[in-house]
Amino acid sequence: GENVEQHPSTLSVQEGDSAVIKCTYSDSASNYFPWYKQELGKGPQLIIDIRSNVGEKKDQRIAVTLNKTAKHFSLHITETQPEDSAVYFCAAGGYGNNRLAFGKGNQVVVIP
Amino acid sequence: GAVVSQHPSWVICKSGTSVKIECRSLDFQATTMFWYRQFPKQSLMLMATSNEGSKATYEQGVEKDKFLINHASLTLSTLTVTSAHPEDSSFYICSARGDNNYGYTFGSGTRLTVV
């Protein structure tokens, strides 16, 4: 099955700087790669996703890039703000696959 | 966008009692529901997958008689923790997927504490 690795496990950044989280996946058949943000005591919330037919997608301060050849995808947060502090999970899967495989999560701390 | 409502958000129960957690998809039909358990500072651990009208498929190591899952309609799935023990204390999260989309929509989670 699919195996997703996520690095680093924790990331501290100064407010206003950029944060980058990287994930790798193992199954070349995966074609859907979402990112979730989880705040303390809450369920994960989808913040951005990308399908394998594109290499990059951007939504305001958040962007995701996908390298299918290398089987890795990254989340980029620019101009970080304290409210960006949370745990971020990447996942990989695909339509027709019944489940997503999740990374172990990344604790992002934005220092004011 | 897709919304999944999960209740209760927290519950405290005595050992030996049962607790039911509900997840409802409010604006789409959830053909598949997933139930996760999450320990502090850890990732989501998939417990079981259920398709509407079918029996749930449990992950290895998850006791199906202890964690009863019902997915009787396209908008409602329930997880019942039977004969709860303190080690069942955890954060339980549901996720729903419709028939025509890739994505999963998560509920807000339920903090279960067994005393």
Side-chain angles (χ1 to χ4, degrees), chain B residues 19-24 33 35 50 58 67-72 76-81:
Chain B
V19 173
K20 180 183 284 188
I21 302 169
E22 288 191 354
C23 265
R24 293 180 184 271
M33 281 274 195
W35 287 94
S50 72
Y58 290 81
F67 299 99
L68 301 179
I69 291 172
N70 183 283
H71 191 174
L76 174 64
S77 178
T78 61
L79 166 67
T80 301
V81 183

Side-chain angles (χ1 to χ4, degrees), chain A residues 4-8 21-23 35 88-90 103-106:
Chain A
V4 177
E5 298 283 340
Q6 187 169 351
H7 301 281
I21 306 168
K22 298 180 180 180
C23 284
W35 284 89
Y88 292 82
F89 291 98
C90 62
K104 292 189 175 181
N106 178 294

Side-chain angles (χ1 to χ4, degrees), chain B:
Chain B
V3 178
V4 172
S5 175
Q6 182 172 345
H7 293 280
S9 56
W10 60 272
V11 58
I12 301 173
C13 71
K14 292 184 178 180
S15 288
T17 62
S18 295
V19 173
K20 180 183 284 188
I21 302 169
E22 288 191 354
C23 265
R24 293 180 184 271
S25 56
L26 300 185
D27 49 3
F28 68 103
Q29 293 185 326
T31 50
T32 307
M33 281 274 195
F34 304 86
W35 287 94
Y36 296 86
R37 184 172 181 177
Q38 187 178 36
F39 293 103
K41 299 186 178 181
Q42 294 192 22
S43 189
L44 305 163
M45 184 187 79
L46 181 64
M47 299 174 66
T49 303
S50 72
N51 294 298
E52 183 265 339
S54 302
K55 288 184 178 180
T57 301
Y58 290 81
E59 295 298 301
Q60 191 172 7
V62 179
E63 299 176 59
K64 63 179 182 180
D65 294 330
K66 180 166 186 62
F67 299 99
L68 301 179
I69 291 172
N70 183 283
H71 191 174
S73 80
L74 284 171
T75 59
L76 174 64
S77 178
T78 61
L79 166 67
T80 301
V81 183
T82 63
S83 186
H85 290 105
E87 55 265 32
D88 298 325
S89 298
S90 191
F91 193 54
Y92 293 88
I93 312 171
C94 67
S95 178
R97 178 180 175 181
D99 209 19
N100 58 354
N101 68 78
Y102 287 64
Y104 290 31
T105 302
F106 284 88
S108 54
T110 298
R111 170 71 58 192
L112 170 63
T113 302
V114 185
V115 298

Side-chain angles (χ1 to χ4, degrees), chain A residues 32-53:
Chain A
Y32 176 63
F33 308 92
W35 284 89
Y36 294 89
K37 177 183 180 182
Q38 186 178 27
E39 297 178 341
L40 190 63
K42 298 183 180 179
Q45 295 293 309
L46 178 70
I47 56 171
I48 197 167
D49 56 12
I50 192 168
R51 300 183 186 180
S52 60
N53 57 344

